[in-house]
Amino acid sequence: MSHEISVSAGATFGVNGWSNERCSLMPMTATSPLSDLLMLMGCEPDAAVHDAGLSVPLWQVRSGAALLLEGACSSHVYVVRTGTFKCIKIAEDGYEQVLAFAGQGEVLAFEALCGEPQRMGAVALEDSSVYALPVRELDSWRRQSRRFDHVLHVALSRQLTRAGQMTELMAAVSSDVRLARFIMWWSNRMAERGQSPRRLLLRMSRRDIASLLGVAHETVSRSFSTFVDQGLLRVDNREIEILDPVGLKACTRNTRGFSDDTLQRGSPAGRSGTLRQRAGADQTPTALAH
Amino acid sequence: MSHEISVSAGATFGVNGWSNERCSLMPMTATSPLSDLLMLMGCEPDAAVHDAGLSVPLWQVRSGAALLLEGACSSHVYVVRTGTFKCIKIAEDGYEQVLAFAGQGEVLAFEALCGEPQRMGAVALEDSSVYALPVRELDSWRRQSRRFDHVLHVALSRQLTRAGQMTELMAAVSSDVRLARFIMWWSNRMAERGQSPRRLLLRMSRRDIASLLGVAHETVSRSFSTFVDQGLLRVDNREIEILDPVGLKACTRNTRGFSDDTLQRGSPAGRSGTLRQRAGADQTPTALAH
DNA sequence: CGATCGTTTGACGGTGCTCAATCACCGTGG
DNA sequence: CCACGGTGATTGAGCACCGTCAAACGATCG
């Protein structure tokens, strides 16, 4: 059992300078019935889930510990049960690029499915726990449980959806819009798991957010303040409350340059400055005088 | 047979204003042996691929035609055989957000796996063809061909990897860096499929690139010009040639942040902060010949 | 309580968004 | 054949946004 600690866990220590202090990876040898995992992924509990007696290793990861090491090969695919992770990539110059934040139900180390090395590292942002699915036994498990097989597909499909959401976040031109989208995204995630979509506890630093959104961390801080000034948000360090969900959602739109304070949100604001429209209709015939 | 046109295809016409002209979706009833698909996804040809007599519907999509309609439910999962698609999402205000460009071997409409509506539309950027995998028969096929089952997992895993690459593209703070990464990304894709990684033919407009990268399309154009001035690129409309791969790769690094210290590409204008500065007329690269 | 890190705010300068104008390219129709 | 729109690409001018540097404050933990 203890050999389960495997490469990714063992390599965690002493490689990135995390080693000391209480950043410890605790691969609790506890296991959980497969049905627990299935329920986490959305299966109905009533559905007589015959888990074929299979039990899934359950790992605990303390805040700050690395679950995955960039470049290493993982022998497991993980599904987050509780907690939050940040997925990162370290550039040659040492810059830590955040690529995603992963929460309950998300798949980590999917690269292990086709035996490729991990494309990103993963660090716990709070005390967390993950289901550890040994790749070597995945096929066997899938054959023993049709439901598990299906759940795995659903999990991958959803993970792709989430990756697309990340793209949407970052494609906004204005930094305010990016942050607004990020907050709404996090809010929706909270709602998905039955928590309040208005009172949020961000588990990551401003710098992490900034890295993900591709802006300076001071800009993130300033955008927060802007929203507070507009009465959309209440911010206390990493604890934020959405005061005006409609107004915040309006900030989600890809507009640029409505910084002239005037909070005319609420209804109209039909003014969508200069948005690139589809071909047709709206184009004013440019007088092609020459 | 013709019922294969299904929701996504049928709904294509007359919904978005594309209807008229030669934007036609041609669901050629042609089929291809399963082994062709497996080989596309990386299976060795020798491996006695017993395709169990299964044959995969092959669809042809003309340039400009929509393969997927945002919000519709697709009855198929698609794998791109030839050509290029852009994946888009239309905002309420009509802004067309490009979320990805998909080429050979990429999976489209994965949402169909769990019966959810398409989160994005997909439009062919050139005459293309796709394998159309009917979701209803997927399980059956997977049971009939272990290899196909595995390939499907690999395909999804790779698709997740590509989605992560998109995130990396867009996470850069400087627009020059974003474009440089985009070019390198496209170059690598060409190399993967055995085409020249230096002479590239972009299938998408500047506006599409800008939308994906989250910048103004004029900025994309300007960044192209900057690279040309630096002698890194030769640009002729959508046909570009990488003259200095090493230099371009250097532009790929996220030079902003708390950098100074290390490296800094030795070539142009020793300025260590921004690379837009090009004090001296450096190399006048030859090769205007075509 | 002192050290370290995260957060916030100010000032300044540069990047890049907006608004334009111009040119090239096309398919259409006179 | 060349005018006539229409679209895409490039470039310029102006200025707002935001990245950088800096300083102050708060939080956390030993």
Side-chain angles (χ1 to χ4, degrees), chain B residues 88-161:
Chain B
I88 59 177
K89 183 164 207 170
I90 310 290
E92 316 113 9
D93 52 20
Y95 177 78
E96 177 183 300
Q97 177 64 61
V98 175
L99 294 171
F101 297 111
Q104 194 175 77
E106 297 210 37
V107 181
L108 293 174
F110 57 83
E111 292 95 333
L113 281 178
C114 42
E116 290 173 8
Q118 294 307 304
R119 217 177 46 80
M120 44 178 118
V123 177
L125 292 175
E126 58 182 315
D127 288 353
S128 308
S129 59
V130 297
Y131 294 105
L133 311 177
V135 173
R136 301 182 61 130
E137 311 195 31
L138 263 193
D139 280 348
S140 160
W141 289 10
R142 285 167 53 208
R143 256 174 278 126
Q144 288 181 61
S145 168
R146 281 283 291 276
R147 193 173 298 269
F148 174 71
D149 180 52
H150 184 248
V151 156
L152 198 58
H153 264 100
V154 170
L156 288 175
S157 171
R158 286 209 191 128
Q159 197 62 33
L160 270 167
T161 297

Side-chain angles (χ1 to χ4, degrees), chain B residues 40-61:
Chain B
L40 175 70
M41 299 308 296
C43 283
E44 294 304 322
D46 60 270
V49 182
H50 67 301
D51 48 19
L54 294 175
S55 62
V56 185
L58 195 54
W59 291 20
Q60 192 154 9
V61 189

Side-chain angles (χ1 to χ4, degrees), chain A residues 175-176 179 206-207 209-210 215-229 233 235 237:
Chain A
S175 63
D176 292 296
L179 184 62
R206 300 283 191 268
R207 188 178 303 266
I209 299 176
V215 298
H217 74 274
E218 297 98 327
T219 300
V220 171
S221 194
R222 263 184 266 267
S223 293
F224 268 124
S225 299
T226 300
F227 291 147
V228 170
D229 291 344
L233 237 53
V235 173
N237 213 310

Side-chain angles (χ1 to χ4, degrees), chain B residues 205-206 217-218 221-222 225 235 237-238 256-257:
Chain B
S205 71
R206 299 284 191 268
H217 74 274
E218 297 98 326
S221 195
R222 265 184 265 265
S225 299
V235 174
N237 211 308
R238 300 190 182 180
R256 288 193 187 162

Side-chain angles (χ1 to χ4, degrees), chain A residues 12-289:
Chain A
T12 295
F13 300 90
V15 168
N16 254 344
W18 302 69
S19 46
N20 44 1
E21 58 181 334
R22 70 232 136 56
C23 298
S24 58
L25 183 59
M26 292 252 170
M28 280 183 58
T29 50
T31 61
S32 184
L34 182 60
S35 54
D36 284 7
L37 173 58
L38 298 186
M39 280 177 53
L40 175 70
M41 301 307 297
C43 282
E44 294 306 322
D46 60 87
V49 182
H50 68 299
D51 48 19
L54 295 174
S55 63
V56 186
L58 194 56
W59 290 21
Q60 194 154 9
V61 189
R62 299 228 158 266
S63 178
L67 174 65
L68 298 175
L69 198 62
E70 180 186 343
C73 282
S74 174
S75 55
H76 296 72
V77 172
Y78 302 96
V79 176
V80 179
R81 196 191 67 150
T82 61
T84 313
F85 291 82
K86 69 172 172 182
C87 301
I88 59 178
K89 183 164 208 171
I90 309 290
E92 313 113 4
D93 54 16
Y95 178 77
E96 177 183 299
Q97 176 64 59
V98 175
L99 295 171
F101 297 111
Q104 194 176 74
E106 298 209 36
V107 181
L108 293 174
F110 58 84
E111 292 95 334
L113 280 178
C114 42
E116 292 173 7
Q118 294 306 305
R119 216 176 47 82
M120 44 179 118
V123 177
L125 292 175
E126 57 182 315
D127 288 354
S128 309
S129 59
V130 296
Y131 294 105
L133 311 178
V135 173
R136 301 183 60 131
E137 312 195 31
L138 263 193
D139 281 348
S140 161
W141 289 11
R142 285 168 53 208
R143 255 173 279 126
Q144 290 180 61
S145 169
R146 281 281 293 275
R147 196 173 295 270
F148 173 72
D149 180 52
H150 184 248
V151 156
L152 198 59
H153 265 99
V154 170
L156 288 175
S157 172
R158 287 210 190 127
Q159 197 61 32
L160 271 167
T161 298
R162 295 196 193 95
Q165 289 172 351
M166 284 300 103
T167 305
E168 285 183 66
L169 279 193
M170 308 168 63
V173 278
S174 144
S175 63
D176 292 296
V177 175
R178 288 190 199 188
L179 184 62
R181 290 188 185 180
F182 174 79
I183 298 171
M184 291 305 298
W185 168 79
W186 187 265
S187 170
N188 291 334
R189 292 193 53 69
M190 291 303 114
E192 277 175 18
R193 69 187 71 165
Q195 301 185 38
S196 166
R198 307 196 41 174
R199 303 186 83 96
L200 310 176
L201 178 56
L202 303 178
R203 315 313 285 237
M204 69 295 290
S205 72
R206 300 283 191 268
R207 188 178 303 266
D208 288 338
I209 299 176
S211 176
L212 178 73
L213 299 184
V215 298
H217 74 274
E218 297 98 327
T219 300
V220 171
S221 194
R222 263 184 266 267
S223 293
F224 268 124
S225 299
T226 300
F227 291 147
V228 170
D229 291 344
Q230 292 178 340
L232 304 177
L233 237 53
R234 194 179 57 74
V235 173
D236 177 26
N237 213 310
R238 299 190 184 180
E239 195 175 324
I240 74 178
E241 181 181 0
I242 301 176
L243 299 176
D244 181 1
V246 178
L248 189 60
K249 189 126 202 297
C251 292
T252 276
R253 291 174 308 182
N254 205 354
T255 61
R256 180 96 188 205
F258 59 100
S259 80
D260 46 349
D261 51 309
T262 64
L263 44 155
Q264 79 275 17
R265 97 199 127 289
S267 54
R271 268 282 300 161
S272 56
T274 54
L275 291 171
R276 319 192 251 286
Q277 221 79 11
R278 302 181 54 77
D282 194 60
Q283 286 283 62
T284 51
T286 52
L288 183 58

Side-chain angles (χ1 to χ4, degrees), chain B residues 188-228:
Chain B
N188 290 334
R189 294 199 56 69
M190 290 302 114
E192 277 176 17
R193 69 187 70 166
Q195 302 184 37
S196 167
R198 309 198 37 176
R199 304 185 82 96
L200 310 176
L201 177 56
L202 304 178
R203 315 313 284 238
M204 70 294 290
S205 71
R206 299 284 191 268
R207 174 159 311 198
D208 289 336
I209 299 175
S211 176
L212 177 73
L213 299 183
V215 298
H217 74 274
E218 297 98 326
T219 300
V220 171
S221 195
R222 265 184 265 265
S223 292
F224 268 124
S225 299
T226 299
F227 290 147
V228 170

